[in-house]
Amino acid sequence: LPLFLPLPGASEEVAPPVQQCFMVPKKEINMVSDMAKWKRSQAYADYMGFILTLNEGVRGKKLTCEYKVSEPIEKLVALLNTLDRWIDETPPVDQPSRFGNKAFRTWYAKLDQEAEKLVSAVIPKHLADAAPEVAVYLKESVGNSTRIDYGTGHEAAFAAFLCCLCKIGVLRVDDQMAIVFKVFNRYLEVMRKLQKTYRMEPAGSQGVWGLDDFQFLPFIWGSSQLIDHPSLEPRHFVDEKVVNENHKDFMFLECILFITEMKTGPFAEHSNQLWNISAVPSWSKVNQGLIRMYKAECLEKFPVIQHFKFGSLLPIQPVTS
């Protein structure tokens, strides 16, 4: 797990300054032909490695199971709780259009202003220089304040944010389950609240042909959780009773519950891709298929990746190994 091997000097409590020049990440993918650069990059390899490491880490495990919760994990949850509180403090405004409530911009301006400070509270003093770089991914992970939309590119920025925290040694190998079950799950709750409160538009949604309007990763990790489950098969997730009884244990079912709360009409019509997935015989096949689909529909799509930012921790340079 090379990702979880921190930079030199990151492990000791009173560590020497890390020999790393941090930088504010910037856009590198400006036209479709740049996509080849992304797929060959160290950033792509590390990002995908991170997603797959966590996919294995949560395999067959319930959200409610026992796992280690380190101090950085607690601090990340506190950070997300702060974002949640700001939503309560920034109610939607009256406006003629139903979607894209402008109060989101007020909420976002607060994050924009405070992001570095929030990140500094999570990382140890000797890594303070990393805060501006890491904070960019946090700011990118909550949606776009101009368009008031949210999509899988924003979700990817949050995974990149967590990946960076692993690369500087703040999060460790034994934090894997807590990264998904505690931090990412809390992130999802806050994003759902943002989507609902400010009626955010789906970013780059393929409409009825996409997997989901807003998220992708919880379907991947959530299907991994269900691998080898004694009784729940993919065909069961379209059954309302099964979802109501098991959603607190499984991220995948939590996603299904949210969709059915937000959408009306037959499931097969508003979520056709998921309906098709319910016909796949096993969760491991679902999991493999979703990983392939994630690469094709999100990571290899220019409209999504053009917004991704590259710095010292997730470099655009080609893979070295």
Side-chain angles (χ1 to χ4, degrees):
L1 306 177
L3 271 177
F4 285 92
L5 297 175
L7 302 166
S11 51
E12 305 93 77
E13 280 312 302
V14 219
V18 175
Q19 297 312 302
Q20 166 111 12
C21 287
F22 296 106
M23 62 178 278
V24 175
K26 58 185 203 298
K27 277 174 63 149
E28 299 277 2
I29 309 298
N30 300 308
M31 40 206 200
V32 176
S33 57
D34 292 334
M35 288 297 285
K37 221 168 36 170
W38 153 242
K39 280 186 259 181
R40 283 196 300 265
S41 71
Q42 189 64 51
Y44 182 90
D46 287 349
Y47 179 84
M48 221 36 238
F50 182 64
I51 300 303
L52 296 173
T53 297
L54 295 175
N55 189 56
E56 284 308 304
V58 300
R59 190 184 171 121
K61 306 277 201 302
K62 291 181 178 183
L63 285 168
T64 49
C65 73
E66 293 278 310
Y67 50 84
K68 173 190 167 241
V69 179
S70 64
E71 196 184 346
I73 294 286
E74 297 283 16
K75 287 176 172 174
L76 283 166
V77 172
L79 182 159
L80 291 164
N81 291 344
T82 301
L83 302 190
D84 191 331
R85 193 184 72 244
W86 291 347
I87 302 175
D88 297 333
E89 293 167 6
T90 319
V93 293
D94 279 333
Q95 61 175 45
S97 64
R98 217 171 104 221
F99 286 94
N101 195 283
K102 291 181 178 57
F104 176 71
R105 293 179 181 150
T106 311
W107 180 89
Y108 184 84
K110 196 161 174 85
L111 173 61
D112 195 34
Q113 206 187 327
E114 303 284 330
E116 256 179 66
K117 201 160 38 175
L118 289 170
V119 170
S120 297
V122 175
I123 61 183
K125 291 280 177 284
H126 69 274
L127 289 168
D129 289 354
E133 175 164 350
V134 177
V136 167
Y137 295 104
L138 178 64
K139 288 192 281 193
E140 296 279 317
S141 74
V142 297
N144 180 286
S145 67
T146 310
R147 295 187 303 272
I148 314 183
D149 66 5
Y150 175 94
T152 50
H154 301 110
E155 178 189 70
F158 192 74
F161 166 69
L162 297 172
C163 182
C164 288
L165 291 173
C166 290
K167 292 196 82 174
I168 60 173
V170 171
L171 297 173
R172 311 276 170 100
V173 180
D174 55 358
D175 288 317
Q176 280 180 68
M177 282 166 70
I179 289 171
V180 180
F181 292 170
K182 242 189 144 47
V183 180
F184 193 81
N185 205 42
R186 184 72 186 105
Y187 164 75
L188 282 178
E189 290 169 0
V190 179
M191 292 309 106
R192 286 173 186 142
K193 187 166 169 177
L194 277 180
Q195 290 152 20
K196 262 189 191 163
T197 306
Y198 304 122
R199 302 295 299 266
M200 297 177 79
E201 299 269 13
S205 162
Q206 294 132 331
V208 74
W209 303 112
L211 184 67
D212 176 74
D213 281 344
F214 298 110
Q215 314 295 158
F216 204 116
L217 292 173
F219 292 95
I220 295 179
W221 295 330
S223 59
S224 181
Q225 282 185 276
L226 285 155
I227 291 173
D228 297 332
H229 191 284
S231 59
L232 290 180
E233 293 168 33
R235 64 191 170 94
H236 291 120
F237 77 73
V238 291
D239 178 339
E240 210 179 324
K241 186 173 179 287
V242 171
V243 173
N244 288 331
E245 287 171 5
N246 298 282
H247 70 94
K248 288 192 165 58
D249 283 325
F250 300 104
M251 220 168 214
F252 195 101
L253 302 182
E254 196 72 82
C255 290
I256 301 295
L257 185 68
F258 184 67
I259 293 171
T260 53
E261 277 173 11
M262 300 301 282
K263 299 200 167 188
T264 51
F267 191 88
E269 284 174 28
H270 63 62
S271 302
N272 190 260
Q273 280 280 28
L274 282 167
W275 180 258
N276 294 339
I277 286 170
S278 72
V280 175
S282 73
W283 284 111
S284 72
K285 283 268 189 299
V286 170
N287 185 246
Q288 289 159 16
L290 286 173
I291 290 165
R292 277 198 306 274
M293 186 177 170
Y294 184 60
K295 288 180 182 169
E297 298 303 321
C298 301
L299 301 185
E300 294 176 10
K301 286 281 187 280
F302 175 72
V304 176
I305 295 306
Q306 63 171 333
H307 302 292
F308 198 89
K309 295 188 173 166
F310 300 84
S312 75
L313 296 168
L314 290 169
I316 189 68
Q317 280 71 33
V319 173
T320 41
S321 54

